[in-house]
Every structure is written in C-alpha cells, then in structure tokens.
Amino acid sequence: MGNSLKAILAFVPSNKCQKYLLEDLEEMPVDKMVDLSGRQMRRLPVHICSFRELVKLYLSDNNLNHLPPELEQLQNLQILALDFNNFKALPLVVCTLKQLCILYLGNNKLCSLPLELRLLQNLRTLWIESNCLQHLPEVVCELSLLKTLHAGSNALRTLPPQLQSLQELRTIWLSGNLLAEFPAVLLDMPFLEVIDVDRNSIQFFPSLAHLPGLKLVIYDHNPCRNAPKVARGVRRVGRWSEETPEPRKRSGAVIEISLEEKPLLPPAAKTEPE
C-alpha cells in the first residue's frame, strides 16, 4: 500500500505531496548525502539543489527522464546515481559537476553520451550497463582518470582503439554484448587487471599471457574453441579453465569487490570515492 501511495503521489506535482515523498527533508543532511531512490519520482525536487555542500546524491529506481538546470549548483557532488530511470539522453547539466568521481547511468535508454562528458575529468568509475549502446562512445576514452568501466548488457560489437589511452583503467566489464571477436585494443592495455567478456559471441581467444597486470579474465558463455592463455597466477573463469569448472552462475566470490565496484547493497551503502 505504501509503495502504491508513493507512486500515485509522484504523479501529483504539488509541493505538499513532494514534501511527503521527501519525508520533510528541508535542510542539508549532516552526512552530506541524499538518497531518493525508489520513490517513483518523475522530477527531482528543485530545493535539493540548494544543498550546495552535498557530496552524494542517489536517484536510482525512479521515473526520471530529465534533471533541472539548478543541479549545476551541486559543485561538490562526487557520487551521482541515475541508474534504473528513463533517460534517453544524459542531461547536460550532469557534465557541469566536475568533482564527480562515480557516475551510475545503468539501466536507462541511452543510445549515446554527449561530448560534454569529457568535462568530468575526475571521473574514476562509470556505469553504463544495460542501455542501448551499439558503440562505446569515444568520449569515454577522454576520461583520463577512469579506473572502472561497466558497459555490459548493451549491443557493442567492437571497442574504439582510443580506449588504449585510458592508462588508469584497471577493470572493464563487457558481459552480455555482441562481441564476435576479442577486442584487439585490450591486447595493448598491459595495465588492465580485470577483463570480463562473459556472454558474448567470441569464437577464438588470443593469448593474454603478455598482459603483466592481468589478475582475472571472465570469458564464460562464449562459443569459443579455446581458452585464453594467461600468465601464471591469473584467474580464469570459463570453459577449460584449470582452476574452476564452468560456474552455474556468476559469483561474487570470483574476485573481491574493490572500492570502485558497485556492491549489491542498498543505495545508502554504495561505494565511496577514493
């Protein structure tokens, strides 16, 4: 009943209803964090943008498809969660938040990313999984401090060669795409630690033994004829792996979740920037 009432109130644009939804949130929270996830909101209450010292803003699992220009006032924001909404385009106001370290955009309807994303030069973690991307936007390759890229469950067939310029990138998740070949650019990225190409259409894997930083490669659920060769100590998850049989399901025990990864916890427990 409570969820139904919130859903009804979200369609009513009165200040009184919005106040109910925000549970009387009228002052800057002491922990500099606002979590409005799962409220079925269709618009962000503008007065939230007056909390200029805000560091974390969670808007996951709503019905948002735009953001107010007043969001630009949140110049101290480091974490912004917009996943599980209805965005068909990334609001350009997000690209004005230059202190952002972690940006969650997964499970929307994005077919591209704006060139203005290059302004987010402090971004370390970007989640763009479960969207409508047929190509990895080249602007991602201009995020020089990016360490973790989640681009799974899209329709990617290739990766741009410019990705090689991301020398801080350590983890790339590409599960559930349309890759018919192992992306050649990854062979020239010796600093990568985790490569996930699970659930693609890769038929042959080149040797990855020359990648000195590699710690884990997930290649399960591909119609491959061979397992990728790796250096001693590198963990492999997939067919013909010496270390483990083909897993029945993806397990969080495969690798320890780092500070950059999105844990399967309530939004209030999402990751902190370094």
Side-chain angles (χ1 to χ4, degrees):
M1 177 62 182
N3 289 337
S4 298
L5 182 57
K6 286 183 178 181
I8 294 171
L9 289 174
F11 284 87
V12 182
S14 73
N15 292 332
K16 188 173 182 179
C17 289
Q18 287 295 323
K19 183 176 180 180
Y20 171 84
L21 283 171
L22 293 173
E23 298 175 352
D24 297 321
L25 179 61
E26 296 179 350
E27 296 182 357
M28 172 73 187
V30 175
D31 59 2
K32 299 182 180 181
M33 187 265 290
V34 168
D35 184 0
L36 299 178
S37 300
R39 305 297 186 94
Q40 302 298 315
M41 293 188 307
R42 297 172 65 88
R43 61 182 178 85
L44 175 65
V46 175
H47 86 270
I48 296 298
C49 302
S50 66
F51 301 160
R52 300 197 177 196
E53 299 303 314
L54 203 63
V55 173
K56 294 171 279 188
L57 178 57
Y58 299 101
L59 302 174
S60 308
D61 193 18
N62 281 294
N63 292 312
L64 300 172
N65 57 27
H66 68 281
L67 294 172
E70 289 84 355
L71 191 74
E72 186 177 3
Q73 299 175 33
L74 302 183
Q75 287 301 312
N76 290 298
L77 206 61
Q78 296 181 30
I79 300 177
L80 177 60
L82 299 174
D83 45 336
F84 292 94
N85 276 286
N86 292 318
F87 291 104
K88 294 183 179 180
L90 180 65
L92 293 183
V93 66
V94 172
C95 301
T96 68
L97 306 175
K98 297 183 180 180
Q99 296 305 314
L100 278 183
C101 296
I102 301 176
L103 179 58
Y104 298 111
L105 299 175
N107 291 273
N108 279 286
K109 301 173 182 178
L110 302 174
C111 294
S112 63
L113 293 173
L115 293 177
E116 288 81 356
L117 189 74
R118 62 165 65 105
L119 299 176
L120 301 183
Q121 285 300 308
N122 282 308
L123 208 61
R124 267 94 170 157
T125 299
L126 177 62
W127 288 71
I128 51 176
E129 80 285 3
S130 299
N131 276 287
C132 304
L133 299 170
Q134 296 186 14
H135 308 280
L136 183 69
E138 293 184 8
V139 66
V140 171
C141 304
E142 299 185 44
L143 303 174
S144 59
L145 296 183
L146 199 65
K147 294 184 66 175
T148 302
L149 175 60
H150 290 256
S153 299
N154 280 286
L156 305 180
R157 297 180 181 274
T158 61
L159 296 181
Q162 296 90 331
L163 194 70
Q164 183 182 353
S165 65
L166 295 183
Q167 298 193 14
E168 296 298 320
L169 193 65
R170 296 294 179 267
T171 303
I172 185 165
W173 305 89
L174 299 166
S175 174
N177 276 289
L178 301 176
L179 300 172
E181 298 180 356
F182 185 83
V185 65
L186 301 184
L187 300 175
D188 296 321
M189 301 177 70
F191 34 81
L192 283 175
E193 297 179 358
V194 178
I195 298 174
D196 179 6
V197 289
D198 183 29
R199 300 184 185 280
N200 277 277
S201 300
I202 300 173
Q203 297 188 18
F204 176 80
F205 280 93
S207 174
L208 306 180
H210 66 289
L211 300 179
L214 194 62
K215 297 179 181 179
L216 170 67
V217 56
I218 304 173
Y219 64 97
D220 203 16
H221 303 102
N222 278 281
C224 53
R225 302 187 300 271
N226 69 312
K229 294 182 179 180
V230 294
R232 181 184 297 272
V234 177
R235 181 72 182 274
R236 298 188 302 180
V237 177
R239 298 177 65 191
W240 307 297
S241 171
E242 299 90 351
E243 296 183 26
T244 58
E246 182 172 336
R248 294 181 181 178
K249 62 180 181 179
R250 292 280 296 280
S251 171
V254 171
I255 184 173
E256 293 183 0
I257 298 298
S258 72
L259 290 178
E260 296 286 284
E261 306 305 324
K262 185 179 184 183
L264 298 177
L265 295 174
K270 280 183 178 178
T271 54
E272 306 288 339
E274 292 185 338

